[in-house]
Amino acid sequence: MSDDLFTLGGTPFSSRLIMGTGGAPSLEVLERSLLASGTDLTTVAMRRLDPTVQGSVLSVLERLSIRVLPNTAGCFTAGEAVLTARLAREALGTDWVKLEVVADERTLLPDPIELLDAAEILVDDGFTVLPYTNDDPVLARKLEDVGCAAIMPLGSPIGSGLGIRNPHNFQLIVERAGVPVILDAGAGTASDAALAMELGCSAVMLASAVTRAQEPELMAGAMRHAVEGGRLAFRAGRIPRRHFAEASSPGEGRAVLDPERPAF
């Protein structure tokens, strides 16, 4: 789909599937899964990563020429997230950040107040901010207004595999957004990724659905094709939903049957 490039923060990407690295059982499995996914952008959690360690996730991404997107997973306040983003910029030489500020360990749901505060500070500091947020159209608009480069609403809680619990809110966010909308969290299988794309999302971000699948490499391939298929379906435009049947064949040209002279 060379006529339908995915552009994020002014950078074009060939794949609309953004992969995470959390939960992979080994670096070997992670590498095979990344290759099967076709992704060219992958997140890493800076609070769980030592960039100086050899044989790390970073070395896999460098070997595969996949762009690194540091995230602030594990942060509970705006201050923690801002500090983590700045450390990531220093360590990895990138001003891109997937911004996560969660409210508690039990739900891992975003804290909207801390998230918005952190986003505003980081945008002012020159970062390209990609915020993980609730599926709240009002908050999405506020994040875009402070300068975020994308909106990344959750379909359902991180790692739950429950899919998109509120498709209507996704449609509202997509309809009003002037930046890419990316499903982040909740995808459990390929149909969840396809639905996100059919709803008009620009891309899908996932990790656990692949890294914790029984066959991660197979699931990565399934996600790749689901994202591509969902995007094609969105561009094609689905038929309207109807309460009653509508014949697919036209009525003109049908044989005229005489009810007084049955064929048998």
Side-chain angles (χ1 to χ4, degrees), residues 18-199:
I18 303 171
M19 287 285 295
T21 53
S26 68
L27 289 180
E28 290 74 18
V29 171
L30 175 64
E31 181 165 351
R32 291 200 302 272
S33 300
L34 291 172
L35 285 170
S37 74
T39 189
D40 43 14
L41 180 63
T42 298
T43 69
V44 294
M46 288 307 298
R47 299 193 74 182
R48 305 187 181 103
L49 182 72
D50 182 351
T52 65
V53 173
Q54 297 298 314
S56 68
V57 170
L58 289 179
S59 63
V60 172
L61 299 181
E62 182 179 9
R63 184 164 59 252
L64 299 180
S65 299
I66 295 176
R67 181 167 180 154
V68 177
L69 174 60
N71 69 50
T72 62
C75 293
F76 292 88
T77 67
E80 290 177 1
V82 169
L83 176 59
T84 302
R86 288 171 175 166
L87 291 174
R89 177 163 62 183
E90 184 175 336
L92 302 178
T94 177
D95 57 9
W96 282 37
V97 63
K98 181 194 167 194
L99 178 61
E100 296 185 30
V101 188
V102 298
D104 58 68
E105 289 277 9
R106 179 177 173 81
T107 65
L108 296 179
L109 292 173
D111 183 320
I113 297 172
E114 297 291 324
L115 178 69
L116 191 58
D117 285 348
E120 192 163 12
I121 294 169
L122 289 172
V123 168
D124 289 344
D125 202 14
F127 280 88
T128 297
V129 179
L130 313 174
Y132 159 68
T133 179
N134 297 294
D135 60 353
D136 178 351
V138 176
L139 179 58
R141 174 52 64 93
K142 290 182 180 295
L143 288 165
E144 183 177 344
D145 287 346
V146 300
C148 290
I151 304 299
M152 303 180 73
L154 58 85
S156 51
I158 292 173
S160 68
L162 291 172
I164 299 176
R165 306 301 286 175
N166 197 339
H168 180 62
N169 272 20
F170 266 72
Q171 287 182 307
L172 292 175
I173 293 172
V174 167
E175 287 172 3
R176 298 185 63 184
V179 295
V181 177
I182 302 169
L183 168 66
D184 185 2
T189 189
S191 56
D192 298 328
L195 175 59
M197 300 304 292
E198 290 172 5
L199 291 171

Side-chain angles (χ1 to χ4, degrees), residues 158-247:
I158 292 173
S160 68
L162 291 172
I164 299 176
R165 306 301 286 175
N166 197 339
H168 180 62
N169 272 20
F170 266 72
Q171 287 182 307
L172 292 175
I173 293 172
V174 167
E175 287 172 3
R176 298 185 63 184
V179 295
V181 177
I182 302 169
L183 168 66
D184 185 2
T189 189
S191 56
D192 298 328
L195 175 59
M197 300 304 292
E198 290 172 5
L199 291 171
C201 288
S202 296
V204 170
M205 160 75 208
L206 55 86
S208 299
V210 166
T211 60
R212 291 176 176 150
Q214 294 181 29
E215 297 288 345
E217 187 176 350
L218 279 179
M219 186 60 83
M223 292 296 187
R224 176 181 188 167
H225 292 299
V227 168
E228 292 173 353
R231 178 64 180 175
L232 285 173
F234 173 74
R235 294 181 67 195
R238 63 158 297 130
I239 64 171
R241 291 181 171 86
R242 301 177 185 278
H243 288 294
F244 299 102
E246 182 182 77

